[in-house]
């Protein structure tokens, strides 16, 4: 149980285009999903917290107009990187909290984004 | 701010025991997690400590001392497949921060030699 999927697993796009990444909780309902970014040999940096049915909470320094997050249902959150630039190339990972009051997070397999 | 420190790299030989330390300073504390992450993959859960003491799970054990802001992950009978990055993460943060928010250390890259 507690499986989280991400799609696509990798994507290459041209500078200036937008890319959408999906995060799904397959066998549980996730009231909260988290979006992380990880650069090579760096740790995970939280970008935003997404709660179903409400606006995402962004971490300081993360542009909300550039990284659009939608959490339309209890099993799906999407991250759209708008007008992508090469510096946005990174490993994007989502996680989902299993239930209210739980501190444990289950991670998706990640999406490798390369912007050329 | 929240500060999580762990060594950048460690090496060990197959069959040995290795201890990866983590110290933390956070304004709130709801538990400490250890994750294993292989290159290009997402982190996988190893352990969770919220009370002081040692939690043992097979070849892996995790220890927590809340008063010292200190934890370690102990890996026994090391195998080549244990070569990975080990992430220490604290659930916490200042009052009002998102429940379940994790603060990650930079990760310790462990290399196991034959």
């Amino acid at each position: 149980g507690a499986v989280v999927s991400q799609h696509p697993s990798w994507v290459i796009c041209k500078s200036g285009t937008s890319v959408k990444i999906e995060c799904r909780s397959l066998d549980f309902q996730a009231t909260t999903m988290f979006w992380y970014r990880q650069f090579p040999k760096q740790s995970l940096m939280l970008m935003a917290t997404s709660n179903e049915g409400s606006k995402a909470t962004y971490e300081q320094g993360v542009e909300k107009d550039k990284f659009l997050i939608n959490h339309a249902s209890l099993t799906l959150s999407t991250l759209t990187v708008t007008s992508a630039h090469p510096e946005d190339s990174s490993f994007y990972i989502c996680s989902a909290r299993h239930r209210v009051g739980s501190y444990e997070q289950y991670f998706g397999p990640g999406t490798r984004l390369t912007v050329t | 701010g929240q500060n999580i420190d762990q060594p950048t790299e460690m090496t060990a030989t197959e069959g040995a025991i290795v201890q990866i330390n983590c110290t933390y300073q956070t304004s709130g504390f709801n538990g400490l997690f250890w994750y294993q992450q292989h290159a290009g993959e997402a982190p996988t859960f190893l352990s969770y400590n919220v009370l002081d003491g040692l939690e043992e799970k097979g070849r892996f054990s995790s220890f927590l001392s809340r008063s010292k802001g200190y934890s370690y992950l102990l890996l026994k009978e090391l195998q080549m497949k244990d070569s990975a990055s080990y992430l220490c993460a604290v659930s916490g943060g200042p009052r009002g921060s998102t429940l379940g928010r994790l603060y990650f250390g930079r990760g310790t890259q462990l290399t196991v030699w034959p």
Side-chain angles (χ1 to χ4, degrees):
Chain A
V3 178
V4 177
S5 70
Q6 271 183 251
H7 178 79
S9 55
W10 59 271
V11 57
I12 302 172
C13 70
K14 291 186 176 180
S15 188
T17 61
S18 295
V19 174
K20 180 186 283 189
I21 302 170
E22 293 186 349
C23 176
R24 293 181 185 273
S25 56
L26 298 184
D27 51 3
F28 66 99
Q29 293 185 331
T31 55
T32 303
M33 288 184 171
F34 302 87
W35 286 97
Y36 296 87
R37 181 167 52 182
Q38 186 177 34
F39 292 106
K41 297 190 176 182
Q42 300 284 320
S43 192
L44 280 74
M45 296 299 297
L46 181 65
M47 299 175 65
T49 302
S50 168
N51 291 296
E52 185 266 338
S54 62
K55 290 184 178 180
T57 303
Y58 290 81
E59 294 298 303
Q60 195 170 10
V62 178
E63 301 174 53
K64 58 181 67 177
D65 293 332
K66 181 171 181 62
F67 298 99
L68 302 179
I69 291 173
N70 183 277
H71 195 157
S73 76
L74 285 172
T75 59
L76 173 64
S77 177
T78 60
L79 167 68
T80 301
V81 183
T82 62
S83 186
H85 291 288
E87 56 265 32
D88 298 324
S89 298
S90 187
F91 192 48
Y92 292 85
I93 305 174
C94 73
S95 71
R97 204 169 69 207
H98 193 181
R99 56 187 179 274
V100 176
S102 168
Y103 298 110
E104 188 169 354
Q105 296 179 26
Y106 296 90
F107 287 85
T111 297
R112 174 73 59 191
L113 170 64
T114 302
V115 185
T116 60
Chain B
Q2 322 303 314
N3 192 38
I4 317 291
D5 280 321
Q6 53 182 127
T8 305
E9 294 179 331
M10 295 185 73
T11 60
T13 53
E14 225 175 350
I17 300 173
V18 70
Q19 177 175 311
I20 303 175
N21 296 324
C22 172
T23 58
Y24 64 90
Q25 292 176 306
T26 58
S27 51
F29 181 81
N30 294 311
L32 187 143
F33 294 83
W34 283 96
Y35 289 90
Q36 180 191 62
Q37 186 180 27
H38 286 99
E41 300 180 9
T44 55
F45 170 80
L46 291 178
S47 68
Y48 171 61
N49 294 69
V50 65
L51 299 176
D52 290 350
L54 186 68
E55 295 278 343
E56 297 185 79
K57 189 186 293 185
R59 293 190 299 116
F60 293 178
S61 303
S62 56
F63 171 83
L64 175 67
S65 169
R66 288 172 296 171
S67 62
K68 296 181 179 178
Y70 168 70
S71 172
Y72 68 72
L73 179 69
L74 191 71
L75 294 79
K76 302 176 185 176
E77 302 170 18
L78 281 174
Q79 303 174 9
M80 299 288 287
K81 66 178 183 179
D82 297 329
S83 293
S85 181
Y86 290 85
L87 306 175
C88 173
V90 174
S91 177
R95 183 182 294 275
S97 56
T98 300
L99 183 68
R101 192 206 191 286
L102 290 178
Y103 295 86
F104 281 87
R106 287 181 170 271
T108 299
Q109 183 62 47
L110 172 66
T111 302
V112 180
W113 299 102

